[in-house]
């Protein structure tokens, strides 16, 4: 076999060993993205009857729009992970490792290499993204939803632009950030900034609207969203700065920040006087850079620990709420959390909301308009007080539900409740916690909330060690 | 127009004989000595060195940092404080780095691509050379076998040690058109196979009328790979010259006697061998010349037998760089101590 690699083919294979393997891995990755998007679509269907149906209806609709909408976000998150994992091969970090210095000495043209690298990166992104997009579409065909082709171009374009932005920002990061660990943190952070930019520029308003996405020009309508011009400017600046910087530094030998670690005893300090400032500084940069990296490491570790604690605490809460049965309602400081499994009190309390009831004390008054939790024939009811009468035995509260389902008999749920039957008075609700508990009670939710903290607890050390690894 | 200018420049460069000239060079860096009365001490002082085409220089020293810094200045990676440094007739500015087309600097082992194997990478690196790829691959593969690296020729680079990676980088440099190759990894421990490989690569570089400057703390590597050598200690070059001369002039050990009773032998032979210095190195007795003594193995053997010993092995010392540098180091340390000892007596 004669090896005839050129720079472009080397780039197209990315971090893999052979071109063929590189293409196979990319296809496998794209199919994985499609599958995971489809799985998440189904997962979200389990929490459809929750606050999510009001806040993010675009991901819960039984349509192609929802599966493709989920796909473009999954593609963004997983491609960013891909960039982070293969950072050293995909971006300009190899210039800092002096790989280009050697190639320039061997006759390679740095400008050609820069464009080859950018081209290969773009081709790979488009290849993976397009296959994943097509595969998600193919999977959705089996659901037999009504096919509207009009919003596909806009969805495809939006997802692709997101990926190009993250790729170009990662490229810039690779040229300016000295250590691989720090660069990885910055790439992770850039995805948050991108989401924020999309929110602030009104892009999500257009993107989440199935009707407006049927017209591609809506993405370019500055009255609706300014995201695309901003994204274009970001991409152009990143590419221009990247090309200029890469061209300059590839011709020089770049000293690694820790180049003297192995040759300088730890008790010997070597200083140099800065010509411009006259200040003396140590030539050993590794300590300073390690200190900077340590801040990010500490932040990440703190986040990880807080996440594990939060998830574990949440598990405990779920278990307690689920264990709470009739006659044994648990309360925290006089508040009874109650998962509302009915639409009878809509809109005050929606289906699957987590409603809070104040435990009834002797001095508490119940007035007309209050929603109360009461017990009758060993069953709990939640209804609104519409009248109060008083006789010799005491007060009687006349209650009814707010929302009768269509075709049902009105006033069928009207009840007369004595004070000793009342358990609590409705005080507030939390729709998001309700949705979270609903999710936690599904099989996936159980896996997510029990397995993930378990895995993190066991593999916490290897994860942090991997992230803290030196360049 | 541009091409003819390039050609003219190449012609001019090919006529250059002296590829490196350093005069009175001192570094910007200095040691910060805490808890002493001494002021800041420059790492490198008054360095003078001339390297010509087809020469391979091994810069040896006790401190890997001194070597590394010197070679970084030579390759214009680091600025310098004083003196003059001319590289292939191009004066280096003290503070500003310039792009040196004719200098190939290797300061580590991270330049290679981990997702290629050795042969594949070398083919990739040399792809711009206008040779037929079949012929090129054949010659690279043969060369890898010749230098003793055939066993790693198809090994993925990510599986190599940093020393092996550095040698592969040097091999790539040997295929380049760079006039000077600076191999600056004094902190690496090259085994015998790799040292021999570096020696053969060095020959390839010098055969092409290019120069190699390598920094090392391994005298065996200098012996194998270099025609010239320099010894840097305390920031100064205390020796520079041919490796051959160094071994002959400074390796004073004449004979090496290997015996388990080496210590007893030393006591008995001390009086019988005037003009010689005897020292012990493990189970070896080293007999060195101290005053023009004759080095006759037969006479020595007879003297030992007369003393009542029958040693396991007597070897005529082949003269090594290691012994020579140990001797130079010893002399240097003595010289340093002398003025300090003499000062109170007022000897100047």
């Amino acid at each position: 076999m004669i090896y005839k690699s050129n720079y472009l083919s080397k780039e197209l294979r990315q971090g893999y060993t052979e071109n063929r393997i590189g293409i196979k891995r990319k296809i496998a990755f794209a199919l994985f993205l499609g599958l995971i998007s489809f799985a998440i679509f189904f997962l979200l269907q389990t929490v459809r009857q929750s606050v999510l149906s009001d806040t993010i209806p675009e991901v819960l609709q039984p349509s192609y729009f929802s599966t493709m909408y989920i796909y473009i976000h999954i593609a963004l998150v997983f491609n960013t992970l891909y960039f982070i994992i293969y950072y050293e091969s995909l971006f300009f970090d190899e210039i800092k490792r002096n790989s280009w210095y050697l190639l320039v000495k061997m006759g390679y043209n740095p400008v050609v290499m820069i464009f080859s690298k950018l081209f290969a990166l773009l081709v790979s992104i488009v290849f993976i993204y397009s296959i994943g997009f097509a595969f998600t579409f193919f999977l959705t065909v089996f659901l037999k939803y009504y096919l509207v082709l009009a919003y596909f171009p806009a969805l495809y374009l939006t997802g692709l632009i997101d990926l190009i932005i993250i790729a170009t920002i990662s490229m810039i990061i690779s040229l300016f950030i000295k250590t691989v660990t720090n660069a990885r943190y910055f790439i992770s952070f850039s995805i948050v900034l991108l989401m924020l930019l999309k929110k602030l520029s009104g892009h999500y308003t257009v993107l989440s609207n199935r009707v407006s996405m049927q017209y591609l020009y809506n993405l370019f309508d500055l009255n609706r969203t300014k995201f695309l011009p901003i994204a274009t400017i970001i991409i152009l600046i990143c590419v221009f700065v990247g090309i200029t910087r890469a061209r300059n530094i590839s011709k020089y030998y770049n000293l690694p920040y820790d180049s003297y670690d192995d040759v300088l005893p730890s008790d010997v300090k070597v200083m140099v006087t800065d010509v411009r400032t006259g200040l003396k500084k140590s030539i050993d940069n590794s300590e300073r850079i390690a200190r900077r990296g340590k801040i990010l490491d500490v932040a990440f570790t703190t986040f990880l620990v807080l996440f594990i604690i939060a998830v574990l605490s949440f598990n405990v809460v779920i278990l307690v709420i689920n264990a709470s049965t009739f006659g044994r309602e648990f309360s925290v400081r006089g508040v009874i959390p109650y998962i509302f499994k009915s639409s009878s009190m809509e809109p005050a309390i929606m289906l699957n909301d987590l409603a809070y009831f104040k435990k009834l004390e002797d001095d508490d008054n119940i007035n007309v308009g209050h929603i109360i939790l009461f017990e009758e024939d060993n069953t709990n009811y939640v209804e609104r007080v519409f009248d109060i009468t008083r006789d010799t035995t005491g007060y009687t509260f006349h209650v009814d539900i707010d929302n009768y389902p269509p075709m049902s008999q009105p006033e069928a749920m009207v009840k007369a409740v004595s004070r000793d039957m009342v358990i609590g008075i409705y005080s507030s609700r939390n729709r998001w916690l309700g949705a979270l508990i609903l999710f936690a009670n599904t099989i996936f939710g159980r896996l997510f909330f029990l397995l993930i903290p378990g895995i993190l607890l066991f593999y916490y050390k290897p994860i942090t060690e991997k992230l803290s690894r030196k360049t | 127009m541009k091409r003819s200018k390039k050609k003219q420049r190449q012609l001019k460069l090919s006529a250059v004989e002296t590829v490196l000239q350093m005069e009175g060079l001192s570094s910007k860096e200095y040691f910060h000595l805490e808890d002493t009365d001494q002021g800041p001490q420059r790492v490198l002082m008054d360095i003078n060195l001339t390297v010509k085409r087809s020469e391979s220089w091994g810069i040896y020293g006790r401190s890997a940092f001194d070597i590394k810094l010197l070679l970084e200045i030579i390759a214009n990676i680091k600025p310098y404080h004083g003196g003059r440094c001319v590289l292939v007739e191009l004066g280096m500015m003290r503070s500003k780095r310039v792009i040196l087309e004719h200098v190939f600097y290797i300061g580590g082992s991270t330049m290679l691509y981990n997702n290629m194997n050795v042969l594949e990478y070398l083919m990739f690196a040399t792809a711009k050379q206008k040779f037929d790829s079949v012929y090129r691959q054949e010659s690279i593969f043969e060369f890898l076998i010749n230098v003793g690296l055939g066993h790693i020729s198809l090994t993925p680079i990510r599986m190599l040690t940093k020393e092996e990676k550095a040698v592969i980088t040097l091999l790539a440099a040997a295929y380049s058109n760079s006039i000077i190759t600076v191999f600056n990894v004094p902190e690496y421990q090259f085994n015998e196979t790799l040292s021999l490989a570096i020696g053969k690569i060095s020959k390839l570089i010098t055969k092409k009328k290019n120069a190699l400057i390598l920094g090392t703390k391994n005298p065996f590597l200098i012996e194998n790979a270099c025609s010239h050598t320099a010894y840097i200690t305390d920031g100064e070059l205390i020796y520079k010259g041919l490796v051959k001369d160094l071994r002959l002039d400074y390796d004073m050990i004449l004979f090496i006697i290997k015996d388990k009773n080496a210590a007893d032998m030393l006591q008995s032979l001390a009086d019988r061998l005037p003009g010689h210095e005897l020292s012990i190195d493990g189970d070896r007795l080293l007999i060195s010349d101290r005053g023009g003594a004759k080095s006759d193995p037969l006479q020595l053997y007879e003297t030992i037998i007369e003393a009542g010993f029958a040693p396991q092995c007597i070897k005529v010392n082949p003269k090594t760089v290691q012994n020579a540098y140990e001797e130079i180091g010893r002399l240097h340390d003595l010289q340093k101590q002398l003025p300090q000892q003499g000062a109170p007596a007022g000897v100047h």
Side-chain angles (χ1 to χ4, degrees), chain B residues 1-13:
Chain B
M1 185 75 175
K2 201 177 173 184
R3 194 169 284 180
S4 68
K5 257 189 180 176
K6 203 177 170 185
K7 235 177 185 177
Q8 271 182 350
R9 182 166 161 70
Q10 273 177 348
L11 269 172
K12 200 183 157 192
L13 284 177

Side-chain angles (χ1 to χ4, degrees), chain B residues 69-87:
Chain B
L69 185 64
L70 175 64
L71 267 64
E72 279 172 356
I73 292 172
I74 287 175
N76 193 229
I77 307 288
K78 283 255 162 166
Y80 56 95
H81 174 258
R84 190 165 163 256
C85 180
V86 180
L87 213 53

Side-chain angles (χ1 to χ4, degrees), chain A residues 1-4 10 13-14 16 94 97 99 101-102 105-106 108 253 260 269 271 273 275 280, chain B residues 28 30 32 72 77-78 97 100 103 105 107 110-111 113 115 117 120-121 123-125 137 172:
Chain A
M1 177 189 175
I2 301 297
Y3 293 109
K4 285 183 178 173
K10 180 235 135 198
R13 72 162 83 161
Q14 304 205 317
Y16 307 112
E94 61 185 54
R97 292 199 310 270
S99 300
Y101 171 85
L102 186 147
K105 293 286 171 200
M106 302 301 290
Y108 279 80
Y253 185 90
Y260 300 118
K269 214 169 198 178
M271 312 290 282
T273 310
V275 181
K280 291 170 191 170
Chain B
K28 280 192 165 196
Y30 51 85
H32 180 69
E72 279 172 356
I77 307 288
K78 283 255 162 166
R97 289 180 64 184
L100 299 165
V103 178
Y105 179 80
T110 57
M111 289 174 165
Y113 291 114
N115 58 343
N117 68 41
E120 186 185 10
Y121 181 77
M123 280 296 286
F124 172 63
Q137 183 159 318

Side-chain angles (χ1 to χ4, degrees), chain B residues 261-277:
Chain B
N261 299 318
D264 298 338
M265 217 183 282
L266 180 132
Q267 284 178 350
S268 300
L269 293 179
D271 298 333
R272 292 170 191 264
L273 295 169
H276 291 83
E277 187 184 291

Side-chain angles (χ1 to χ4, degrees), chain A residues 114-379:
Chain A
I114 292 164
F115 281 105
S116 299
K117 197 164 187 76
L118 290 176
F119 177 72
L121 186 62
L122 188 69
V123 166
S124 298
I125 288 171
V126 173
F127 182 73
I128 293 170
Y129 177 73
S130 303
I131 289 180
F133 195 86
F135 188 58
T136 311
F137 171 79
F138 171 72
L139 290 174
T140 317
V141 168
F142 292 103
L143 299 178
K144 295 181 179 173
Y145 292 149
Y146 181 66
L147 177 62
V148 181
L149 284 172
Y151 46 62
F152 278 82
L155 280 171
Y156 179 83
L157 185 69
T158 305
L160 194 59
I161 288 169
D162 287 352
L163 294 183
I164 293 172
I165 290 182
I166 291 292
T168 47
I169 290 175
S170 304
M171 182 188 79
I172 286 294
I173 287 171
S174 71
L175 285 167
F176 288 93
I177 304 295
K178 284 193 173 161
T179 65
V180 175
T181 312
N182 291 358
R184 285 179 168 145
Y185 283 128
F186 279 108
I187 294 172
S188 316
F189 188 58
S190 67
I191 196 172
V192 180
L193 287 182
L194 178 66
M195 298 279 194
L196 204 66
L197 175 67
K198 286 169 85 170
K199 183 82 190 160
L200 294 174
S201 63
H203 188 64
Y204 268 123
T205 317
V206 180
L207 182 62
S208 58
N209 189 329
R210 201 160 47 152
V211 179
S212 66
M213 285 296 275
Q214 289 186 19
Y215 306 98
L216 188 60
Y217 61 78
N218 280 338
L219 288 177
F220 301 91
D221 184 356
L222 292 180
N223 294 322
R224 289 172 184 266
T225 171
K226 290 179 180 57
F227 176 71
L228 274 189
I230 297 172
T232 312
I233 291 168
I234 291 174
I235 292 168
L236 288 176
I237 290 175
C238 286
V239 169
F240 178 73
V241 174
I243 289 171
T244 315
R245 169 102 176 145
R247 192 168 165 265
N248 284 338
I249 64 171
S250 62
K251 291 175 189 170
Y252 293 100
Y253 185 90
N254 299 286
L255 271 184
Y257 72 90
D258 55 354
S259 59
Y260 300 118
D261 281 3
D262 294 335
V263 293
L264 207 55
S266 55
D267 57 332
V268 177
K269 214 169 198 178
V270 179
M271 312 290 282
V272 67
T273 310
D274 193 291
V275 181
R276 273 173 284 179
T277 59
L279 292 172
K280 291 170 191 170
K281 60 175 184 181
S282 170
I283 62 160
D284 188 13
N285 294 322
S286 52
E287 204 177 293
R288 184 167 44 86
I289 288 166
R291 211 181 306 131
R292 237 183 262 165
K294 212 171 175 180
I295 296 169
L296 290 170
D297 284 344
V298 168
F300 177 75
T301 309
T302 312
F303 168 76
L304 212 59
V305 169
L306 288 176
F307 178 75
I308 292 170
I309 292 171
V311 172
L312 288 176
S313 317
F314 187 69
N315 271 319
V316 174
V317 172
I318 301 286
L319 285 172
V320 172
I321 290 177
N322 286 340
S324 152
T325 54
F326 163 71
R328 285 194 301 152
E329 294 88 3
F330 96 100
S331 64
V332 183
R333 300 171 72 92
V335 175
I336 304 165
Y338 198 88
I339 301 167
F340 204 69
K341 294 276 186 194
S342 161
S343 56
S344 61
M345 293 306 290
E346 286 184 3
I349 309 172
M350 304 293 279
L351 177 68
N352 288 320
D353 281 1
L354 179 66
Y356 302 113
F357 290 88
K358 186 179 175 301
K359 207 169 182 180
L360 190 71
E361 302 291 341
D362 293 341
D363 54 347
D364 284 339
N365 291 325
I366 301 172
N367 301 320
V368 171
H370 275 166
I371 296 170
I372 57 168
L373 170 70
F374 64 95
E375 169 247 309
E376 187 188 67
D377 300 332
N378 291 346
T379 309

